[in-house]
Amino acid sequence: MSGFCVGLQFENSCEIGVFSKLTNAYCLVAIGGSENFYSIFESELADVIPVVKTSIGGTRIIGRLCAGNKNGLLLPHTTTDQELQHLRNSLPDQVVVQRVDERLSALGNCIACNDHVALTHTDLDRETEELIADVLGVEVFRQTIAGNILVGSYCAFSNRGGLVHPHTSIEDLDELSTLLQVPLVAGTVNRGSEVIAAGMTVNDWTAFCGSDTTATELSVIESVFKLREAQPSAIVDEMRKSLIDSYV
Amino acid sequence: FAPYIQVEYIAVMPRKPTSRGMLQNPPPSTFSRFARSQALIASAYRSKRKINKSKFYKKSRSNFSGNGFENHASDENSEQAESSDEDFDGVVQADFAFFDPKPSDFHGVKILLQTYLDEKQWDVSGFADLILGQTTVGTVIKVEDDEDDGVYSVVTALNLGRYKARNKFCTISLSQPAANHDHKCIEEIKEFLRKSCKEEDIMNNLRSYLGEQAQDVGLLISQRVVNLPPQLLPPMYDALFDEVSWATEDEPTEELRNSFCFKYYLLISRIYKHKSADQQKRQKSDEAIVYVKPEDEIFHKVPTFTEVSHSSASDSFNLHLSSAPGPSVSICALSSLYLMRQEMLKDYQLMGLVMAVEASKVQ
């Protein structure tokens, strides 16, 4: 069921990863976008995982404020009680929703995680780090990416692959790849934007990118996150429909 | 960078500003689309201060000398803005340079065009591509040797009849000719204009400008950051009209040469109109119309023009620019400069202004 959606815009902005959060167990979407925005998410995901419309702390930049995976969801202290309750009600029971009292409240910018490993901002509190390990069930590493401490912004990774800031050196790529145990590639999204996680959102079987993403960027994303069917014959079969062998 | 990052709690902002243009705003406090688009336009100067901690400067306003173009094929033309103060919070030297549009300017130009058609969701990217594809006419203003390569202003004129989409493959149905419809973004602009026009008599004129006469109409696009020094405006417009006349001589094909022989320029812009039309209700000192861009006043006063005034479709027009701190509109008569504060604008209503100006009168 690999799928791929492109051409997404949230009110004329191509920064999909700012207004949505996608994991293997749920998908959060910001309120206030056009119906087209939700319908694309819903058409891809609705029968598999819940798509929940929400705000966090009254804002719509939910993708950058929260961090989560299939085990849990971490919210900043600015989250209101109603929002917290709404999320607890809407998400599956096995997802632990936890509000974190952390000075660095843009958790989505500070934490990048999949279901097994998390990379965090170097200045994160020790209590928060323990909470991440507890709630999300991951191993936590304090890292930088291409010299940037906002690891949550400059990389996006799933359980199958990851995309990092284009200026990441080869040594860093190797080191991160060993930590995360997934293949990594340095690239851009949304026509050269380095802020990977703001421009796209991904889980194990599908990814959503902003509409400015070029075909080259798309093919890199498809290959590193292993979104296309792996067998080469699938590609040929698809191409065959558009190839004209002969004119009668 | 995504414009809605919460600034207050991020421990360290990335030291190197991103290359995506300079308009990083503090998040607006309301959800209203209108307030957000206003914040986008009006708070650009404030975000400039936050962006680069290593050089904290205010925009300089001193005079500077302009050089004419050396030859019309040249790319750059430097405008020097001198600093009167070397101190920390004084004015800074900024060398503005005029460049031909390049594909790498895409993100900066796109940000400037975000609010071109109010809140309508349309193909801004395609439109930015069209502008950047036309290198012979069009100017992008950037700061010289700026590491971010931020775009501060974009000015160009696009022939409305020229941009037709071409299908790469033959259409299946042979009865229809090969695609001759406009690019999607041009279509959307025309649709927006048709929808906003309320008056019947102007509608006929508008229809002809967008339809049969489209070949003679140039869409004059002029978008800039709010606090761009007004001294740059005369050379900017001079440059544009010069490039248009040079293009009519220099373009390689006759078709292109003719496409720059504009009879009319169409401008889409914004004004603040006083809410009470009655002269007595207004204070004597209040103007009936406040122009967001000062050159609009000049275009507006050019004789024989057609004006279509439209209000944006979105909600709440009371100018709650509380999300944009500081002076919300800066107006510059080309000889003098004064700033209007929010309180002064409370009696005004923001409206869109579309003008069609005869080309002979402005060139």
Side-chain angles (χ1 to χ4, degrees):
Chain A
M1 183 208 323
S2 65
F4 207 166
C5 285
V6 298
L8 279 194
Q9 282 199 344
F10 186 89
E11 286 189 1
N12 267 336
S13 164
C14 297
E15 309 290 348
I16 303 302
V18 174
F19 300 104
S20 62
K21 189 74 167 177
L22 180 62
T23 69
N24 288 326
Y26 54 88
C27 177
L28 304 180
V29 199
I31 47 183
S34 66
E35 278 311 308
N36 197 37
F37 188 69
Y38 308 132
S39 63
I40 295 184
F41 278 102
E42 270 156 17
S43 64
E44 274 292 311
L45 303 169
D47 24 348
V48 190
I49 56 177
V51 179
V52 181
K53 288 187 207 174
T54 183
S55 63
I56 293 183
T59 73
R60 305 184 307 166
I61 51 172
I62 59 172
R64 304 293 88 222
L65 291 182
C66 68
N69 60 13
K70 71 169 168 38
N71 302 318
L73 176 67
L74 294 175
L75 300 169
H77 62 87
T78 51
T79 316
T80 64
D81 293 331
Q82 295 92 320
E83 289 161 351
L84 186 60
Q85 201 52 47
H86 168 62
L87 283 167
R88 284 212 171 113
N89 292 341
S90 320
L91 294 181
D93 291 331
Q94 65 269 25
V95 177
V96 179
V97 180
Q98 178 79 18
R99 193 159 47 185
V100 176
D101 205 8
E102 161 68 55
R103 182 180 64 97
L104 304 176
S105 62
L107 298 175
N109 286 337
C110 298
I111 303 167
C113 63
N114 62 9
D115 294 334
H116 309 291
V117 189
L119 297 180
T120 67
H121 191 290
T122 47
D123 297 339
L124 219 60
D125 289 345
R126 278 226 41 88
E127 300 90 58
T128 311
E129 191 181 322
E130 285 162 12
L131 206 61
I132 298 172
D134 242 350
V135 170
L136 301 183
V138 294
E139 209 177 331
V140 181
F141 299 103
R142 291 169 189 262
Q143 275 290 324
T144 64
I145 294 188
N148 287 302
I149 44 182
L150 290 180
V151 290
S153 312
Y154 291 104
C155 77
F157 60 97
S158 69
N159 295 324
R160 308 178 71 183
L163 185 66
V164 296
H165 189 287
H167 296 155
T168 314
S169 63
I170 308 280
E171 301 83 39
D172 281 353
L173 265 184
D174 285 340
E175 184 188 337
L176 285 170
S177 190
T178 327
L179 277 180
L180 301 177
Q181 292 294 303
V182 294
L184 294 179
V185 81
T188 64
V189 76
N190 273 341
R191 202 162 161 164
S193 168
E194 306 165 337
V195 193
I196 310 294
M200 64 172 286
T201 183
V202 63
N203 68 6
D204 284 350
W205 68 85
T206 187
F208 297 90
C209 293
S211 59
D212 278 345
T213 312
T214 63
T216 321
E217 292 166 341
L218 284 182
S219 63
V220 168
I221 291 172
E222 277 186 354
S223 73
V224 77
F225 289 108
K226 302 198 179 51
L227 295 172
R228 271 214 179 274
E229 302 295 349
Q231 304 90 341
S233 58
I235 300 176
V236 175
D237 282 343
E238 275 185 43
M239 278 178 66
R240 181 156 288 143
K241 292 176 208 156
S242 59
L243 291 173
I244 300 170
D245 289 325
S246 64
Y247 285 100
V248 176
Chain B
F1 214 112
Y4 302 103
I5 301 295
Q6 263 194 342
V7 177
E8 308 88 86
Y9 291 103
I10 293 179
V12 178
M13 283 285 279
R15 277 280 160 174
K16 180 164 83 86
T18 67
S19 56
R20 298 208 63 187
M22 304 293 271
L23 297 179
Q24 300 179 21
N25 315 316
S29 49
T30 70
F31 270 38
S32 150
R33 291 176 191 185
F34 171 72
R36 245 174 303 111
S37 68
Q38 284 304 308
L40 194 72
I41 297 170
S43 66
Y45 88 97
R46 179 175 178 250
S47 61
K48 284 234 181 299
R49 290 191 203 175
K50 281 195 181 172
I51 276 186
N52 213 334
K53 302 258 176 195
S54 55
K55 358 176 208 163
F56 182 152
Y57 297 120
K58 255 189 337 194
K59 284 286 178 180
S60 102
R61 298 238 183 259
S62 345
N63 21 309
F64 50 92
S65 58
N67 319 326
F69 280 112
E70 274 138 47
N71 59 63
H72 40 77
S74 74
D75 283 358
E76 308 168 21
N77 177 12
S78 275
E79 301 283 333
Q80 298 259 341
E82 288 180 29
S83 64
S84 56
D85 210 330
E86 297 289 310
D87 282 352
F88 185 61
D89 61 355
V91 290
V92 74
Q93 194 167 342
D95 295 340
F96 289 99
F98 292 10
F99 294 93
D100 281 347
K102 287 198 307 286
S104 58
D105 299 325
F106 175 77
H107 289 298
V109 167
K110 186 180 171 192
I111 289 180
L112 289 172
L113 292 172
Q114 285 284 13
T115 49
Y116 191 54
L117 295 187
D118 298 337
E119 284 77 43
K120 177 179 151 109
Q121 193 155 356
W122 63 296
D123 187 17
V124 189
S125 308
F127 193 51
D129 282 333
L130 278 189
I131 291 178
L132 296 172
Q134 190 179 279
T135 50
T136 48
V137 168
T139 301
V140 158
I141 296 184
K142 299 197 271 201
V143 170
E144 214 161 318
D145 298 332
D146 187 11
E147 51 182 38
D148 315 323
D149 217 20
V151 174
Y152 288 62
S153 172
V154 60
V155 169
T156 189
L158 296 179
N159 182 305
L160 275 186
R162 169 177 168 187
Y163 290 98
K164 304 276 178 210
R166 307 241 171 274
N167 263 353
K168 295 205 176 79
F169 309 102
C170 304
T171 52
I172 304 290
S173 149
L174 293 174
S175 58
Q176 283 182 351
N180 196 23
H181 48 266
D182 288 324
H183 265 121
K184 186 158 158 249
C185 47
I186 303 286
E187 264 312 316
E188 286 175 314
I189 294 176
K190 291 184 177 176
E191 197 48 51
F192 174 81
L193 291 174
R194 283 189 203 109
K195 277 214 185 91
S196 333
C197 183
K198 299 284 184 329
E199 290 135 58
E200 191 48 53
D201 48 342
I202 295 180
M203 188 64 194
N204 290 327
N205 271 336
L206 187 67
R207 241 184 252 126
S208 82
Y209 288 142
L210 300 179
E212 317 92 52
Q213 288 193 294
Q215 284 292 342
D216 305 321
V217 177
L219 183 67
L220 205 153
I221 299 145
S222 166
Q223 301 282 99
R224 55 182 184 269
V225 296
V226 166
N227 57 342
L228 194 77
Q231 296 90 332
L232 287 174
L233 299 179
M236 193 170 80
Y237 281 99
D238 282 342
L240 178 73
F241 295 124
D242 281 343
E243 282 188 323
V244 167
S245 68
W246 291 330
T248 58
E249 296 155 23
D250 291 339
E251 284 282 2
T253 70
E254 171 141 11
E255 196 187 333
L256 285 176
R257 283 199 288 273
N258 290 337
S259 74
F260 285 108
C261 297
F262 297 125
K263 290 215 189 88
Y264 302 98
Y265 288 108
L266 198 64
L267 293 96
I268 304 177
S269 184
R270 284 198 170 82
I271 51 170
Y272 291 106
K273 207 166 185 179
H274 204 284
K275 280 181 201 160
S276 57
D278 187 11
Q279 176 71 38
Q280 274 121 351
K281 278 198 195 153
R282 295 205 303 264
Q283 303 290 349
K284 265 242 155 90
S285 57
D286 283 352
E287 298 282 323
I289 298 180
V290 169
Y291 294 89
V292 176
K293 295 195 296 208
E295 65 269 24
D296 288 347
E297 189 167 1
I298 299 175
F299 285 125
H300 206 179
K301 293 200 162 62
V302 167
T304 54
F305 63 88
T306 315
E307 174 198 337
V308 169
S309 197
H310 68 94
S311 336
S312 172
S314 77
D315 41 352
S316 82
F317 257 112
N318 297 320
L319 295 173
H320 292 309
L321 296 172
S322 47
S323 50
S328 46
V329 174
S330 83
I331 295 173
C332 161
L334 288 173
S335 55
S336 66
L337 182 76
Y338 61 96
L339 294 167
M340 290 192 69
R341 302 204 64 88
Q342 277 168 257
E343 312 85 67
M344 290 164 81
L345 280 174
K346 65 175 173 4
D347 295 326
Y348 286 83
Q349 179 171 357
L350 182 67
M351 302 189 69
L353 174 68
V354 178
M355 301 185 279
V357 184
E358 268 185 50
S360 50
K361 300 274 180 347
V362 289
Q363 279 175 274

